Amino acid sequence: MHRVFSGIQPSGVPTLGNYLGAIRNWVPMQDRHDCLFCIVDLHAITVWQEPAQLLAQTREMAATLLACGLDPKRCVLFVQSHVTAHAELAWIFNCVARLGWLNRMTQFKDKAGKDREAASAGLYVYPNLMAADILAYKATSVPVGDDQRQHLELANDIAQKFNHDYGTEFFPRIEPFIQGVAARVMSLRDGTKKMSKSDPSDQSRINLNDDTDTIALKIRRARTDAEPLPGHLAQLESRPEARNLVGILAAVTGTLPENVLREHEGQGFGAFKEVLTEALVAHLSPIRAEMLRLLQDAPALDAALRQGSERAEAIARPVLAEVKRLVGFLPRG
Ligand code: TYM
């Protein structure tokens, strides 16, 4: 039995990318492993978040995750800032990670953009906090989308350097769990950019709380090209938007892109988009309905999160105590 940890930022409503790339894979893991799923509000404030909105989005995220099938009886669902171990261990990791390692992180470069001097220091050390999230529970399996691969490599570098510097085998190796077909869902407006909850254009993504008409409109407006669909995946290599829509339909209907192409070969995007809309609506509307229902009882959501943080804290406390002994903050033995 592995200990599984994953996180999601409450920086907006989760998108179809979050769902297909990560959340959907978390659900079956609850039956097989010891799972912790964390709403990472400390990570969210590495870019500006309006306080009232952050609080609302955190609750909304909890409702969405529950609606997608996370079950507080079978996993620990909690909010990062409620468990102080994350910030404490992150500080120690700030002192383990090297500037050279952080300088190679592509996500920092993407998010900071041209004006790097104006980015927060938090955005720069974001991956150190991620390493702390995982290692505060000595988790070994981390289910994420493809964009997190580099961060997990860094987390392993930090764990290894900590072990080496303090002469211990304390931290385990972390294995990323990145599932094939939908590990990288792309923007509906630009097939070379990933679908993101923080993209300024709402048309670029499907949000898990979009209603039927909104989904239909966004898919109808999704960028495509004039060619009909080919019979083989290799023929979509230079058609990122088409490949993305085919990938989404495959993921939502539980098949492979090759099978989608076999079925829709020769079709134009008008007909294909109708099929895609129908599949998305069938899949997402029960999630949306359940999310709206759960949001009506905010005290129940808050209570579930409070209980989650108590359970998380109980796992992290002895790990942190041992780290403090290893570092020399507390006497050993
Ligand atoms: P976040 O909130 O950006 O994304 C949450 C999860 O969704 C995946 N994801 C995608 N997958 C496929 N296609 C997409 N377009 C897409 N967009 C997002 C992400 O890979 C992620 O798995 N740094 C993390 C949060 C985090 C974390 C952690 C994850 C904090 N601490 C510890 C694992 C372990 C993030 O940016 O999440």
Side-chain angles (χ1 to χ4, degrees):
M1 181 134 137
H2 289 288
R3 177 162 289 152
V4 170
F5 184 99
S6 202
I8 186 163
Q9 299 188 65
S11 49
V13 179
T15 68
L16 183 66
N18 299 130
Y19 178 68
L20 295 177
I23 304 168
R24 194 173 64 155
N25 300 327
W26 300 352
V27 177
M29 287 183 148
Q30 298 177 103
D31 294 321
R32 295 199 290 273
H33 305 292
D34 174 13
C35 292
L36 294 118
F37 298 113
C38 184
I39 302 174
V40 294
D41 53 353
L42 298 174
H43 276 110
I45 63 159
T46 56
V47 299
W48 173 249
Q49 304 291 333
E50 216 47 71
Q53 213 169 324
L54 179 62
L55 206 58
Q57 285 172 184
T58 299
R59 223 180 242 150
E60 219 167 57
M61 181 59 76
T64 312
L65 295 176
L66 294 171
C68 288
L70 293 193
D71 174 0
K73 290 197 196 72
R74 292 183 292 145
C75 73
V76 179
L77 175 64
F78 71 107
V79 177
Q80 189 184 31
S81 66
H82 297 179
V83 179
T84 56
H86 296 250
E88 284 187 78
L89 188 57
W91 179 259
I92 295 170
F93 286 170
N94 284 344
C95 303
V96 173
R98 305 290 93 181
L99 287 185
W101 302 354
L102 293 172
N103 285 337
R104 286 196 287 274
M105 293 297 111
T106 54
Q107 190 155 307
F108 175 76
K109 290 178 198 164
D110 290 349
K111 281 204 175 174
K114 285 200 184 72
D115 194 4
R116 233 188 253 193
E117 301 276 311
S120 74
L123 190 64
Y124 191 64
V125 293
Y126 180 114
N128 299 348
L129 177 58
M130 253 183 88
D133 295 340
I134 301 162
L135 292 167
Y137 304 93
K138 297 177 88 171
T140 50
S141 179
V142 182
V144 285
D146 189 60
D147 60 333
Q148 298 301 310
R149 197 184 288 275
Q150 196 186 31
H151 286 160
L152 297 186
E153 281 165 15
L154 186 94
N156 270 323
D157 290 344
I158 290 175
Q160 237 172 55
K161 182 163 164 54
F162 181 97
N163 286 349
H164 176 266
D165 289 356
Y166 292 102
T168 174
E169 297 281 309
F170 187 65
F171 286 123
R173 251 200 91 70
I174 300 165
E175 295 296 338
F177 177 88
I178 299 169
Q179 191 105 9
V181 182
R184 205 171 184 80
V185 178
M186 308 311 277
S187 157
L188 300 177
R189 308 300 300 166
D190 177 351
T192 64
K193 265 175 45 188
K194 76 166 184 176
M195 182 180 285
S196 162
K197 47 178 133 59
S198 50
D199 192 304
S201 164
D202 192 55
Q203 297 296 314
S204 70
R205 60 177 167 263
I206 304 287
N207 303 309
L208 292 191
N209 67 349
D210 282 345
D211 61 21
T212 303
D213 290 347
T214 310
I215 294 175
L217 193 68
K218 285 179 176 176
I219 294 298
R220 213 175 311 131
R221 287 195 184 149
R223 193 166 147 189
T224 43
D225 51 45
E227 301 293 310
L229 282 164
H232 298 284
L233 206 54
Q235 294 164 285
L236 284 182
E237 211 137 277
S238 56
R239 298 171 65 188
E241 284 84 12
R243 193 178 52 202
N244 189 37
L245 296 186
V246 167
I248 292 173
L249 183 58
V252 169
T253 54
T255 183
L256 292 173
E258 287 82 353
N259 297 336
V260 168
L261 286 179
R262 211 165 296 134
E263 197 169 324
H264 296 277
E265 180 175 7
Q267 237 174 38
F269 280 99
F272 181 79
K273 282 178 167 181
E274 273 177 35
V275 174
L276 178 58
T277 299
E278 211 171 291
L280 281 170
V281 168
H283 202 90
L284 298 183
S285 58
I287 294 177
R288 175 172 185 269
E290 178 63 2
M291 172 194 174
L292 294 176
R293 191 187 71 78
L294 290 167
L295 274 173
Q296 282 170 357
D297 193 352
L301 284 173
D302 292 349
L305 291 175
R306 216 170 25 249
Q307 278 168 19
S309 61
E310 281 162 17
R311 290 168 62 202
E313 155 79 30
I315 303 171
R317 198 182 310 124
V319 177
L320 254 285
E322 184 58 22
V323 169
K324 286 178 184 176
R325 282 190 282 273
L326 287 165
V327 172
F329 294 164
L330 293 174
R332 287 200 186 201

